[in-house]
């Protein structure tokens, strides 16, 4: 109510006065319709089932629908307070992370635990025969509180919440070297973290069950074999790959900004294709839609700040230099062309390292991010080589893999080849890289493959802990200088730290 009174009711008036237009020129697209359109209308499918799941938009938290040609029909909806997104967020808060930010950390922590508490989680939520679900509101307070999501009855089930600053380590992870000296109460904190990891595993397991149930039901109702997913829950790449593996849907499409960041895209596509009936011509097959910086801007920045650099006329030479450093165990900041749409770094604003080195997780964490072990590093692999390393048949045909939206097992035979990108449960959140869409990144991985026999790079987002992903050459340079990264590549330029 507060956000409606202060903001949302006045959006039309604000638009009118700021843009100087008449009210009848303003059209609102419903939140979940925008989500649905943001996936289906830029998918390669002429016909597909659509599933949108998030926290809440207007009063809706999830929808089922069908897209045919230019049309989208939403057939069913689930309404507030019954929300899978808000259920997951309650656990995000309980586990000491920021709501709407830290959900992926819950997903990353889950493999360190066992889903011991699924029975308790099922006290909070019930799934219905028609594919819908309902929360038991006795355990929550997000429907009447602005700052708390769960109540005492909830902590009665799961214990005290995890303090946000508590370091994460368990018996299994040991105490990471980059955390410093182990605390005196090491054993106790380690046991507590194991409990929290078990809670994370339990909510993740129930979320996956609910999504599988919804997807199966949607398949039964529509008989379709293709599925478009949108809404913040669509970023749960572990659940996505289970939907692909365990439901009759054969192909999924999810675009990289599946959360609310994709709302504008969906609204625009819905008006253009569905309302105005313009032909669908656009398939989003890469994520590089952000701003890029010209050579002149980069040189001006480097010169104005007296930064020593090398400029490479020849791409091969630049790539050789980068590969040489990666093989030596160095960590390279890599900023190229347009930045990525959506929350994942996909090789244009990335930090790169050698995935074959078992020490590399700790090296990158210590040098760059000071991140906890539950945040796995992702592998970028040439699309045509993906099946050699990952359990994803026909990897190149699956769009979500272009955007790191599937977590799949690393082939057992390859886990020892790729220790730095294999998560504790033997999985990896792969990115398939195509020559046509990311030429220079593709060439780099290919060259690394020629040098090492392994066409895979460790790719993590180009930012420090708690900061947004870098955008400008200036952002990139500052992040580079604040960290212990060894080299920085800005398009054709390379900057290095003095040895
Ligand atoms: Fe949303």
């Amino acid at each position: 109510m507060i956000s409606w009174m202060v903001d949302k009711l006045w959006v039309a008036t604000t638009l009118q006065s700021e843009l100087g237009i008449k009210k009848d020129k303003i059209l609102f697209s419903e939140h979940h319709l925008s989500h649905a359109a943001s996936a289906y209308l830029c998918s390669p499918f002429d016909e597909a089932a659509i599933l949108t799941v998030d926290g809440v938009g207007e009063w809706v938290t999830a929808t089922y629908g069908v897209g045919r040609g230019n049309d989208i029909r939403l057939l069913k909806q689930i309404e507030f307070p019954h929300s899978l997104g808000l259920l997951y967020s309650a656990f995000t808060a309980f586990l000491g992370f920021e709501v709407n930010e830290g959900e992926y950390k819950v997903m990353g922590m889950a493999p360190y635990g066992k889903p011991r508490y699924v029975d308790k989680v099922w006290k909070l939520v019930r799934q219905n025969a028609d594919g819908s679900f309902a929360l038991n509101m006795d355990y929550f307070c997000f429907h009447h509180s602005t700052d708390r999501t769960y109540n005492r009855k909830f902590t009665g089930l799961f214990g005290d919440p995890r303090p946000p600053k508590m370091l994460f380590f368990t018996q299994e992870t040991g105490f990471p070297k980059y955390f410093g000296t182990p605390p005196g109460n090491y054993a106790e904190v380690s046991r507590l973290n194991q409990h929290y990891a078990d809670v994370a595993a339990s909510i993740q397991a129930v979320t996956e069950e609910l999504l599988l149930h919804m997807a199966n039901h949607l398949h039964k109702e529509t008989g379709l074999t293709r599925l478009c997913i949108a809404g913040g829950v669509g970023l749960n790449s572990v659940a996505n790959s289970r939907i692909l593996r365990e439901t009759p849907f054969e192909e999924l499409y999810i675009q990289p900004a599946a959360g609310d960041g994709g709302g504008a895209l969906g609204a625009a596509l819905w008006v253009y294709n569905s309302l105005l009936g313009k032909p669908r011509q656009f398939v989003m097959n890469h994520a590089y839609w952000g701003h890029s910086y010209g050579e002149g801007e980069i040189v001006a920045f480097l010169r104005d700040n007296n930064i020593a650099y090398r400029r490479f006329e020849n791409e091969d030479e630049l790539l050789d230099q980068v590969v040489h450093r990666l093989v030596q165990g160095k960590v390279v900041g890599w900023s190229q062309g347009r930045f990525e749409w959506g929350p994942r770094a996909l090789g244009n604003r990335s930090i790169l390292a050698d995935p074959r080195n078992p020490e590399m997780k700790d090296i990158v964490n210590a040098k760059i991010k000071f991140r906890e072990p539950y945040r796995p590093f992702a592998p970028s692999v040439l699309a045509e080589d993906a099946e050699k390393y990952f359990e994803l048949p026909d990897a190149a045909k699956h769009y979500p893999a272009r955007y790191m939206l599937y977590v799949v097992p690393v082939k057992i035979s390859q886990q020892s080849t790729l220790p730095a990108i294999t998560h504790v449960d033997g999985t990896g959140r792969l990115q398939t890289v195509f020559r046509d869409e990311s030429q220079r990144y593709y060439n780099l991985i290919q060259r690394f493959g020629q040098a090492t026999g392994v066409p895979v790079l460790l790719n993590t987002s180009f930012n420090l802990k708690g900061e947004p992903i870098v955008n400008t050459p200036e952002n990139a340079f500052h992040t580079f200088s604040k960290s212990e990264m060894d080299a920085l590549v800005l398009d054709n330029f390379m900057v290095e730290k003095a040895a």
Side-chain angles (χ1 to χ4, degrees), residues 53-348:
V53 189
D54 71 356
V56 60
E58 284 110 30
W59 290 108
V60 180
T61 67
T63 68
Y64 288 165
V66 171
R68 283 201 174 91
N70 285 21
D71 271 340
I72 293 175
R73 292 276 135 84
L74 296 184
L75 308 169
K76 250 188 210 173
Q77 62 186 38
I78 300 175
E79 284 170 15
F80 187 85
H82 305 293
S83 163
L84 185 47
L86 292 174
L87 171 67
Y88 206 86
S89 293
F91 282 92
T92 305
F94 175 81
L95 292 170
F97 306 122
E98 219 161 301
V99 167
N100 291 332
E101 285 287 333
E103 280 73 11
Y104 72 100
K105 298 180 186 174
V106 177
M107 190 178 82
M109 194 193 260
Y112 290 96
K114 297 244 153 26
R116 283 182 222 284
Y117 304 121
V118 284
D119 291 349
K120 290 187 176 181
V121 180
W122 282 119
K123 288 184 196 291
L124 313 180
V125 57
R126 175 186 83 228
Q127 63 182 9
N128 303 321
D130 67 351
S132 69
F133 58 84
L135 299 190
N136 180 345
M137 298 315 295
D138 290 352
Y139 293 92
F140 301 97
C141 42
F142 63 75
H143 52 309
H144 56 72
S145 164
T146 52
D147 57 357
R148 289 179 52 82
T149 53
Y150 57 85
N151 60 20
R152 278 207 200 128
K153 224 176 146 186
F154 185 104
T155 48
L157 284 180
F158 301 104
D160 288 336
R162 180 170 173 268
K165 295 221 161 105
M166 189 165 134
L167 291 175
F168 183 80
F169 54 89
T170 63
Q171 198 86 40
E172 192 179 4
T173 66
F175 194 78
K177 268 184 259 162
Y178 57 89
F179 280 176
T181 324
N185 57 351
Y186 173 85
E188 189 197 333
V189 179
S190 151
R191 202 170 48 242
L192 259 175
N193 272 314
Q194 189 58 57
H195 161 72
Y196 292 122
D198 293 342
V199 172
S202 306
I203 180 59
Q204 177 66 27
V206 169
T207 301
E208 290 168 21
E209 285 311 311
L210 285 163
L211 285 167
L212 285 171
H213 183 64
M214 291 167 92
N216 275 320
H217 186 80
L218 181 55
H219 171 76
K220 212 165 79 190
E221 296 250 303
T222 62
L224 296 169
T225 56
R226 287 157 164 179
L227 173 64
C228 294
I229 300 179
V233 180
L235 293 167
N236 195 311
S237 30
V238 177
N240 293 339
S241 45
R242 283 196 66 191
I243 292 175
L244 177 70
R245 274 201 310 274
E246 298 176 40
T247 73
F249 286 110
E250 291 162 14
E251 271 181 276
L252 268 57
Y253 183 84
I254 309 168
Q255 56 85 15
D260 285 350
L265 170 74
L269 287 172
W270 174 67
V271 170
Y272 187 75
N273 295 135
S274 303
L275 280 190
L276 301 176
K278 304 277 189 194
R280 287 174 59 191
Q281 292 163 325
F282 175 62
V283 174
M284 195 190 291
N285 52 17
H286 66 77
Y288 313 112
W289 304 101
H291 194 68
S292 64
Y293 295 85
E295 182 145 323
E297 287 170 276
I298 300 174
V299 172
F301 166 74
L302 294 170
R303 288 210 179 128
D304 290 353
N305 292 280
N306 291 319
I307 299 162
Y309 63 85
R310 280 175 74 186
R311 180 180 181 281
F312 291 85
E313 297 267 332
N314 177 323
E315 183 183 280
D316 290 349
E317 238 175 88
L318 169 67
L319 300 183
D320 277 343
Q321 293 291 331
V322 175
V323 168
H324 180 66
R325 281 160 184 73
L326 292 171
V327 171
Q328 285 180 325
K330 293 192 170 170
V331 178
V332 178
W334 175 259
S335 170
Q336 294 291 334
R338 292 174 177 274
F339 68 82
E340 295 87 342
W341 161 251
R344 306 264 155 84
L346 298 167
N348 281 18

